[in-house]
Amino acid sequence: MQFGIFSIGDVTPDPTTGRTPTEHERIRATVEIARKAEEVGLDVFAIGQHHNPPFVAPANPPILMGHLAAQTDRILLSTATTLITTTDPVRLAEDYAYVQHLAEGRVDLTLGRGNTGPVYPWFGKDIRSGIPLAVENYALLHQLWRESEVDWQGRYRTPLQNFTSTPRPLDDVAPFVWHGSIRSPEIAEQAAYYGDGFFHNNIFWNKEHTGRMVDLYRERYEHYGHGTAEQAIVGLGGQVFMRRNSQDAVREFRPYFDHAPVYGGGPSLEEFTEMTPLTVGSPEQVIEKTLSFREYAGDYQRQLFLIDHAGLPLETVLEQVELLGEEVVPVLRQEVAARAPEGTPEPPTHGSLVRRRAAGGDPIPGGRKKSAEAAES
């Protein structure tokens, strides 16, 4: 299993000091957090995409990914998420293939519709077309990465005639794609149709909902003939805040939880911890709760944690990264390996996709060239 962290790039006042970091400070902190993640042995760093305050997550994630590729040697760079509905598929094909070359293949991406409604009219789109946009745009992106000359006619962009997206994907193998969704079964269906990964960023939802979404994806993955339900590629999100003593963790994190815009002043910290993957406590408690996710999601391939939000100062975030890398993830690796049934698929990487291609298979499991209409039906 891959373990890593993701950032949504929020610029939030620290409720304990009242200080708000500048955009510049927050951007530079994101780079430092990613470098620390590699230093302590994490596998993945993922960044969101936003076009509005109070976020400084990049409007074009490949800019940051290219910079991080030059700052790191091993960690895989991903997104959380790439806006497939309001970003032109041609631009996505070109930008992510380019950064794939810069990073020597250490790139994949999670596609999503985002959670900011006004972004649609900003880019000339209608939010009521969110699902059809996601379906059609990905059908085109998928084709652009697999065919050197593309003819395209759709509903949401101008036609293409004999178009070639450049640069071509590294080693002629497209970046692996995860389809991210919290609540839309249509996106789970889309991921299953193509044989891609399904990432359920379940930071706000109870385990019953998460289990239903993952089960749907697994069932449809098998239905489309990509393998058994157990061989489907699943990723999960989560949130953690740790101190060696659980009481210290709760006491320190409570003001951040109580004032964080992301939680919206809803359930209490204790209620939210009970209902969702949020874990506030000791490293041992994080290990125990994370291992429990497989009870409703099955054996899965990627686990990402949100740790740098709600106004937490950079020093505290870096301490959290150290605890993850030094005390939590090594134990999780051992336990996951010991408990995983034989035949559980490994997480896709550029190297594994290249080897699959060399063996004569489609480098993307279940790769398809069907139309957007077929994918939507």
Side-chain angles (χ1 to χ4, degrees):
M1 184 187 292
Q2 294 169 336
F3 295 94
I5 56 178
F6 71 97
S7 175
I8 57 175
D10 62 308
V11 182
T12 303
D14 184 331
T16 66
T17 66
R19 184 180 185 278
T20 303
T22 67
E23 290 182 327
H24 180 73
E25 289 172 334
R26 191 69 173 92
I27 290 169
R28 296 307 306 175
T30 303
V31 175
E32 191 168 348
I33 293 165
R35 293 175 61 181
K36 187 69 171 180
E38 174 167 275
E39 177 187 319
V40 301
L42 300 184
D43 303 307
V44 183
F45 178 80
I47 185 68
Q49 177 182 352
H50 282 283
H51 298 270
N52 56 290
F55 301 99
V56 291
N60 187 17
I63 293 175
L64 176 58
M65 296 167 83
H67 180 71
L68 293 179
Q71 300 281 316
T72 58
D73 299 308
R74 181 194 55 80
I75 199 165
L76 194 153
L77 305 170
S78 190
T79 59
T81 62
T82 297
L83 300 181
I84 185 62
T85 47
T86 53
T87 310
D88 185 72
V90 173
R91 183 66 182 269
L92 293 177
E94 294 176 342
D95 285 354
Y96 283 93
Y98 198 99
V99 75
Q100 183 195 33
H101 283 268
L102 292 177
E104 298 290 349
R106 292 187 290 124
V107 166
D108 65 24
L109 64 160
T110 302
L111 300 177
R113 293 181 293 136
N115 59 5
T116 305
V119 75
Y120 284 83
W122 293 342
F123 291 92
K125 306 299 181 183
D126 187 336
I127 193 172
R128 293 170 294 184
S129 300
I131 293 292
L133 275 166
V135 171
E136 179 175 298
N137 283 355
Y138 182 60
L140 176 54
L141 175 60
H142 188 271
Q143 186 176 351
L144 288 167
W145 274 339
R146 288 161 178 79
E147 299 179 19
S148 59
E149 297 179 356
V150 171
D151 293 320
W152 174 263
Q153 178 73 50
R155 287 180 286 174
Y156 298 106
R157 75 170 326 277
T158 54
L160 297 173
Q161 295 181 348
N162 198 30
F163 178 80
T164 300
S165 175
T166 60
R168 304 305 299 156
L170 178 64
D171 300 318
D172 201 27
V173 172
F176 186 77
V177 169
W178 303 79
H179 298 258
S181 179
I182 298 175
R183 62 185 180 275
S184 301
E186 297 92 339
I187 302 304
E189 176 79 13
Q190 183 184 39
Y193 175 83
Y194 287 100
D196 294 336
F198 178 62
F199 190 86
H200 194 269
N201 195 8
N202 53 328
I203 60 176
F204 300 119
W205 291 82
N206 59 46
K207 61 185 178 181
E208 291 79 12
H209 172 80
T210 300
R212 287 192 295 269
M213 290 287 286
V214 172
D215 285 347
L216 170 63
Y217 161 68
R218 290 186 182 278
E219 291 166 6
R220 300 302 288 172
Y221 182 95
E222 183 170 312
H223 167 80
Y224 286 117
H226 303 302
T228 66
E230 292 74 22
Q231 292 172 324
I233 308 299
V234 174
L236 297 180
Q239 303 143 286
V240 297
F241 185 84
M242 294 172 284
R243 289 301 182 207
R244 300 192 185 283
N245 181 287
S246 61
Q247 289 80 12
D248 291 340
V250 171
R251 182 170 56 253
E252 184 175 347
F253 188 67
R254 187 178 299 278
Y256 295 95
F257 178 91
D258 289 345
H259 293 88
V262 70
Y263 299 115
S268 69
L269 174 59
E270 286 74 18
E271 291 169 330
F272 205 85
T273 302
E274 175 66 25
M275 293 186 299
T276 77
L278 174 65
T279 311
V280 180
S282 66
E284 292 76 17
Q285 288 172 309
V286 171
I287 292 168
E288 180 181 3
K289 186 163 184 177
T290 303
L291 288 173
S292 74
F293 296 169
R294 62 193 296 275
E295 296 173 4
Y296 53 87
D299 291 281
Y300 60 107
Q301 284 66 44
R302 176 173 289 184
Q303 175 65 59
L304 300 184
F305 298 103
L306 176 63
I307 60 171
D308 73 330
H309 62 127
L312 288 165
L314 176 60
E315 180 182 0
T316 300
V317 173
L318 295 178
E319 291 170 350
Q320 297 297 303
V321 176
E322 285 188 355
L323 286 169
L324 271 178
E326 296 174 2
E327 299 194 24
V328 174
V329 168
V331 177
L332 287 175
R333 290 193 200 282
Q334 293 177 350
E335 292 294 329
V336 168
R339 301 180 189 196
E342 185 177 353
T344 299
E346 294 295 320
T349 63
H350 183 73
S352 70
L353 299 177
V354 169
R355 290 190 294 273
R356 182 184 179 93
R357 181 182 183 86
D362 189 310
I364 301 299
R368 290 175 179 264
K369 297 181 181 179
K370 294 187 177 180
S371 67
E373 289 79 9
E376 191 174 353
S377 63

